[in-house]
């Protein structure tokens, strides 16, 4: 079982993932060419964290509880769909990561 949290703002992003061996974190700032919506930035941040954990081999057969303060992300992942093409693509990427790693991704909205 893994637990994570991700958040993004207009200028920066961060995420944490708690594993058996401790806590991994990512922090950074968006580049000057990043002019996407706040929903996209929030979702991209979540997907980036999952990509990194998958590449590190931490998602194999894992159950991941991930928290976000963005209800749009939660809705897209729970429904498996989004009316936004860009958010839909990110939703699909999460499902692909799940399938490739035999993992289950549970998302929860945490009011922020």
């Amino acid at each position: 079982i893994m637990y994570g949290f991700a958040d993004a703002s207009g200028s920066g992003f961060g995420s944490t993932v708690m594993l058996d061996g401790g806590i991994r974190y990512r922090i950074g700032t968006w580049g000057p060419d990043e002019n996407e919506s706040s929903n996209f930035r929030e979702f991209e941040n979540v997907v980036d964290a999952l990509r990194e954990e998958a590449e590190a081999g931490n998602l194999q057969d894992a159950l991941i509880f991930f928290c976000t303060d963005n209800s749009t992300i939660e809705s897209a992942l729970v429904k498996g769909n989004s009316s936004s093409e860009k958010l839909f693509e990110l939703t699909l990427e999460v499902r692909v990561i799940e399938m490739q790693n035999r993992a289950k991704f549970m998302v929860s909205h945490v009011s922020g």
Side-chain angles (χ1 to χ4, degrees):
I1 296 179
M2 297 172 56
Y3 301 94
F5 191 89
D7 195 18
S9 67
S11 60
F13 60 87
S15 65
T16 58
V17 175
M18 187 172 72
L19 307 165
D20 288 337
I23 297 175
R24 291 173 43 104
Y25 67 92
R26 300 171 52 254
I27 56 172
T29 57
W30 300 113
D33 59 337
E34 182 65 55
N35 59 358
E36 296 289 347
S37 71
S38 62
N39 285 333
F40 181 85
R41 286 192 305 267
E42 291 266 5
F43 207 164
E44 179 71 12
N45 185 40
V46 169
V47 174
D48 283 345
L50 289 173
R51 281 184 201 124
E52 282 190 19
E53 295 306 320
E55 289 171 9
N58 294 327
L59 299 186
Q60 287 296 314
D61 301 310
L63 174 59
I64 305 111
F65 292 96
F66 219 91
C67 299
T68 177
D69 66 349
N70 186 293
S71 60
T72 301
I73 294 171
E74 180 196 31
S75 176
L77 289 171
V78 168
K79 291 189 309 186
N81 197 5
S82 174
S83 59
S84 162
E85 185 175 331
K86 289 182 177 185
L87 298 184
F88 178 71
E89 291 297 323
L90 292 172
T91 303
L92 284 179
E93 186 168 353
V94 170
R95 297 301 178 234
V96 168
I97 290 170
E98 277 183 313
M99 289 187 293
Q100 289 173 336
N101 292 278
R102 295 182 313 272
K104 180 63 180 160
F105 184 73
M106 306 294 291
V107 65
S108 178
H109 177 253
V110 177
S111 183

